Amino acid sequence: MSPLIIPVLGISCGLLAILGGVFVKPWFAYRQRQLELQADKVAEKAAQYAAQTERLEQRMRVLERIVTDRGIDVAEEIEKLRDEPAPLN
């Protein structure tokens, strides 16, 4: 074995560590930031879908109530609902 291998390996390991700190570490930070932004977008879309689902469920409850309440005139109930202000989200 050549006596030069030990210093060459030592220098190579040092250079590899320096290059890893200069290039690899920022790349990992960049990827992590990308994933955080993507997670924020997914959470925002999930909140939008939840709000839309809630609105649809409210409308469905109103329709079920109109259909199942036999003593109420349907046309009169629809007119009452039209007069109500839209809920704020």
Side-chain angles (χ1 to χ4, degrees):
M1 207 173 200
S2 173
L4 289 176
I5 285 187
I6 293 175
V8 167
L9 284 177
I11 292 171
S12 297
C13 288
L15 286 175
L16 187 61
I18 291 171
L19 289 176
V22 170
F23 294 109
V24 175
K25 187 176 178 182
W27 182 79
F28 278 123
Y30 171 74
R31 287 292 297 152
Q32 182 176 355
R33 181 66 179 143
Q34 274 185 328
L35 292 174
E36 288 171 358
L37 292 173
Q38 188 177 13
D40 289 343
K41 287 180 183 178
V42 169
E44 184 179 331
K45 279 200 178 255
Q48 289 173 352
Y49 288 140
Q52 182 179 7
T53 301
E54 178 62 30
R55 286 191 301 270
L56 290 173
E57 286 175 357
Q58 288 174 354
R59 292 179 72 183
M60 183 62 84
R61 280 188 224 113
V62 168
L63 290 173
E64 287 174 345
R65 192 179 77 229
I66 291 171
V67 169
T68 57
D69 287 348
R70 297 175 198 261
I72 297 175
D73 186 20
V74 175
E76 189 176 302
E77 183 70 19
I78 291 172
E79 290 303 319
K80 285 181 189 176
L81 291 173
R82 285 186 182 150
D83 294 338
E84 290 180 12
L88 298 176
N89 290 329

